[in-house]
Amino acid sequence: MAEAEQVKVLRFWASPWSFRVELALKLKGVPHEKVEEDLANKSPLLLASNPIHKKIPVLLHNGKAIPESLIILEYIDETWTDNPILPKAPHERGMARFWSRFIDDKCVGACWMSCWTEGETQQMFMEQARACLRILDDELGGRRFFGGESIGLVDISASFFALWLGVLQEVAGISLINGEEFPNLCRWIEGFVASDVVTECLPPRDKLLAVFQSKKQAILATKSMVY
Amino acid sequence: MIFPSTAHGSSSVGTRDASRDLFPCIECLRRRRCVSDNLTRGGVPIEFFHISVLLRPHKSPPHEPHPQEATMAEAVVLLDVWVSPFGQRCRIALAEKGVAYEYKEEDLSNKSPMLLQANPVHKKIPVLIHDGKPVCESLVIVQYIDEVWSDGAPILPADPYARAQARFWGDFVDKKIYECGTRLWKLKGEALQEAKKEFIEILKVLEAELGDRKYFGGDAFGYVDIALVPFFAWFYTYETCGGFSVEAEAPKLVAWGKRCMERESVSQTLYDPLKVYEFVGFLKKKYGVE
């Protein structure tokens, strides 16, 4: 590791995706600077660092820009090798990557759309979301974390469910995640948010609730995850 | 009966699929008078995906594997569909590493118990089963292949930043090409024009990223090349349906594709673009697109 490393995260305080990056850096004990972005008025630095997608989070490591949260997580794991977040064995690494992608490609979208649609469309998304949560609940089983005894890639990827889903369903007035249907996930949420490192990084729940409530009409109109 | 039974797809040992010889190519089918719009097997209309299996072109017979090779090959199984660009990524990666494996063709209208057990979440191909343990999602499989058979030429570079860049572009190809390309053959009118505009933009972004390099990985054929090259065989379909020329919009990309085709792993895996176009023609009939 080079001396006087410069590590910055272009982030948005309410974003579950930039939370992933900050949590991983915290777990690894990597000092970093948080650069808050105004998503309605993106900085020249963000636009230059992620010209293709123009999105946060972006990790800047000694001037090198790495976008896309799951890609950043793997970069962090490969660069700072203490407290690994990916397993060692190739098959387990493959499974960790599979579940992270499942969360990103299927679960989060279904949960998000459940909150902002109505009628039959909402029913359809809620069924999809429940199916995803059921799959995750089964996969977790009796384990403390998806990563086993310690927080790993899948836990970090699943952090959306630990805080954001609860907030969103409250704003939308629906119920998706509950202890009866998803006991393992709910137990995981309790353990995850109680962890010291996670508590330090999570945005305040009441602030998150307030921002989603204030942006509710705008989100209802666009369904966009950029809020 | 003309068409052999394909209860759970067909399989063969080695890097080529013996069952390809069992399935006549479209030219052979055309020569037989019984081929018509009412293809049936025992009076039951043949589902589209049976047709996709039947459309699979001839390839030369596989070599007879050495007994040792056969045992090793049994430990690695790829559940796949001949035309799938996602499956082809895995086939190319295995070939680049010189890994012997058993190829099992899946009938997607009648998925095998093996597939449903190996990928219960998505029930999709490709799935790599290694020593009984399944790995799903094509780019996850490619990374797995790279990590397990690490003495072969590396697919991902060693440097973490270069790896992150490779993963970024693999992810870009994953998110953009197939989805936008599908809209090119499924849609008409304004929606098609919109898809065409987007697809050309995607090509230009990839062309800019490639620049004057031999491969996306630089001098070495690697992860991004593997992620993208199966779609090279789909360019003809996309440009014909979309009404544009890939070569006119992205000449460096086409030159890159031709360079990749000089590699045996690629030329032995990709099918003739006309076969892909034929396959999409049947898809269009199925979806009522004209």
Side-chain angles (χ1 to χ4, degrees):
Chain A
M1 208 161 75
E3 284 198 31
E5 280 210 289
Q6 215 195 43
V7 183
K8 291 187 194 186
V9 183
L10 305 186
R11 51 99 78 170
F12 175 53
W13 71 272
S15 162
W17 289 277
S18 51
F19 168 79
R20 288 172 170 178
V21 174
E22 287 160 33
L23 178 58
L25 290 169
K26 201 85 190 187
L27 284 166
K28 301 268 188 175
V30 178
H32 56 278
E33 185 191 336
K34 293 177 198 160
V35 179
E36 190 70 27
E37 281 287 330
D38 175 0
L39 298 184
N41 185 21
K42 292 174 182 176
S43 71
L45 178 60
L46 173 55
L47 298 175
S49 305
N50 189 1
I52 302 293
H53 300 307
K54 304 177 176 51
K55 286 181 178 178
I56 56 94
V58 180
L59 181 76
L60 295 170
H61 180 209
N62 294 336
K64 291 176 286 195
I66 301 108
E68 299 290 289
S69 62
L70 294 186
I71 292 172
I72 297 171
L73 293 180
E74 295 233 29
Y75 176 84
I76 289 171
D77 206 39
E78 289 169 1
T79 304
W80 295 279
T81 50
D82 286 344
N83 301 332
I85 56 177
L86 267 133
K88 273 201 168 65
H91 184 255
E92 274 133 51
R93 293 166 74 81
M95 290 311 295
R97 288 174 178 136
F98 172 84
W99 288 113
S100 302
R101 280 165 163 258
F102 174 69
I103 287 166
D104 262 10
D105 294 346
K106 302 276 180 199
C107 302
V108 173
C111 292
W112 177 264
M113 293 302 280
S114 296
C115 295
W116 312 117
T117 47
E118 4 179 85
E120 265 182 45
T121 313
Q122 185 178 48
Q123 286 312 308
M124 177 195 74
F125 280 119
M126 285 184 75
E127 265 174 47
Q128 279 181 21
R130 286 203 178 97
C132 286
L133 292 171
R134 206 163 292 126
I135 289 170
L136 285 177
D137 195 83
D138 286 344
E139 170 56 24
L140 177 63
R143 289 181 292 168
R144 192 173 164 212
F145 297 114
F146 287 96
E149 277 310 303
S150 57
I151 290 171
L153 180 75
V154 184
D155 302 280
I156 300 172
S157 306
S159 46
F160 172 85
F161 306 110
L163 178 63
W164 283 264
L165 180 55
V167 168
L168 286 174
Q169 60 183 28
E170 193 177 318
V171 172
I174 61 166
S175 172
L176 270 179
I177 191 130
N178 63 81
E180 213 179 278
E181 270 184 88
F182 313 111
N184 296 323
L185 265 182
C186 288
R187 177 185 32 86
W188 171 83
I189 290 172
E190 267 180 55
F192 186 74
V193 303
S195 139
D196 288 336
V197 185
V198 171
T199 317
E200 278 176 47
C201 298
L202 276 177
R205 193 184 192 278
D206 52 354
K207 244 186 116 183
L208 210 55
L209 191 65
V211 84
F212 276 114
Q213 271 163 349
S214 71
K215 293 196 185 273
K216 185 173 175 178
Q217 293 313 312
I219 301 173
L220 279 168
T222 64
K223 318 280 188 279
S224 166
M225 280 204 217
V226 181
Y227 42 81
Chain B
M1 188 150 81
I2 309 160
F3 309 114
S5 161
T6 55
H8 299 307
S10 48
S11 69
S12 71
V13 177
T15 54
R16 293 181 196 227
D17 185 358
S19 64
R20 287 175 185 179
D21 291 337
L22 298 176
F23 297 97
C25 64
I26 196 69
E27 287 77 18
C28 298
L29 288 175
R30 286 196 181 116
R31 284 201 290 275
R32 299 177 205 230
R33 302 240 349 250
C34 35
V35 171
S36 68
D37 287 330
N38 298 317
L39 288 172
T40 62
R41 182 184 302 167
V44 176
I46 292 179
E47 285 288 343
F48 160 75
F49 283 110
H50 287 258
I51 295 171
S52 83
V53 169
L54 300 170
L55 273 183
R56 199 173 65 216
H58 274 307
K59 290 255 180 174
S60 354
H63 66 282
E64 276 305 308
H66 187 276
Q68 194 105 28
E69 232 183 76
T71 315
M72 278 170 57
E74 279 152 20
V76 186
V77 179
L78 182 68
L79 309 182
D80 202 348
V81 166
W82 68 277
V83 72
S84 164
F86 305 100
Q88 285 172 330
R89 289 167 168 175
C90 308
R91 283 176 251 165
I92 292 168
L94 288 164
E96 285 285 322
K97 296 281 191 175
V99 177
Y101 66 98
E102 184 181 349
Y103 177 96
K104 280 188 185 292
E105 180 77 17
E106 279 287 332
D107 175 355
L108 296 182
S109 67
N110 182 23
K111 292 173 182 179
S112 71
M114 187 184 261
L115 173 58
L116 298 176
Q117 199 177 27
N119 192 358
V121 174
H122 300 302
K123 305 175 176 54
K124 283 184 176 178
I125 58 91
V127 181
L128 186 80
I129 306 176
H130 181 205
D131 287 336
K133 291 190 271 195
V135 186
C136 309
E137 301 288 293
S138 62
L139 291 183
V140 175
I141 295 171
V142 170
Q143 290 184 75
Y144 176 85
I145 290 167
D146 198 33
E147 288 173 5
V148 171
W149 290 280
S150 52
D151 50 354
I155 290 173
L156 274 164
D159 171 64
Y161 180 57
R163 291 163 76 84
Q165 289 177 302
R167 286 182 177 125
F168 175 85
W169 287 105
D171 188 60
F172 178 85
V173 171
D174 246 9
K175 285 191 166 99
K176 303 282 187 181
I177 295 266
Y178 189 74
E179 189 276 329
C180 192
T182 299
R183 281 190 277 141
L184 285 172
W185 63 259
K186 262 196 181 170
L187 304 178
K188 294 284 160 199
E190 243 188 78
L192 171 60
Q193 292 310 310
E194 185 59 47
K196 170 182 164 183
K197 203 172 135 207
E198 272 183 52
F199 196 83
I200 290 172
E201 179 57 37
I202 292 164
L203 290 175
K204 290 200 185 294
V205 167
L206 288 168
E207 171 114 332
E209 173 56 22
L210 177 67
D212 293 314
R213 290 181 292 176
K214 187 177 179 191
Y215 300 116
F216 282 90
D219 288 329
F221 181 79
Y223 184 79
V224 183
D225 307 285
I226 292 174
L228 181 60
V229 81
F231 294 100
F232 184 64
W234 288 69
F235 283 172
Y236 175 76
T237 298
Y238 293 149
E239 66 191 0
T240 307
C241 295
F244 63 94
S245 157
V246 174
E247 185 145 24
E249 303 290 348
K252 289 180 180 172
L253 207 57
V254 172
W256 160 85
K258 290 176 180 170
R259 274 197 297 279
C260 291
M261 286 294 286
E262 289 168 11
R263 301 181 78 82
E264 207 181 302
S265 64
V266 178
S267 60
Q268 296 291 357
T269 300
L270 265 55
Y271 284 92
D272 190 310
L274 289 173
K275 288 293 171 211
V276 174
Y277 184 70
E278 215 162 49
F279 173 78
V280 172
F282 277 90
L283 282 179
K284 285 171 84 152
K285 278 210 183 80
K286 175 180 164 82
Y287 289 107
V289 180
E290 212 20 83

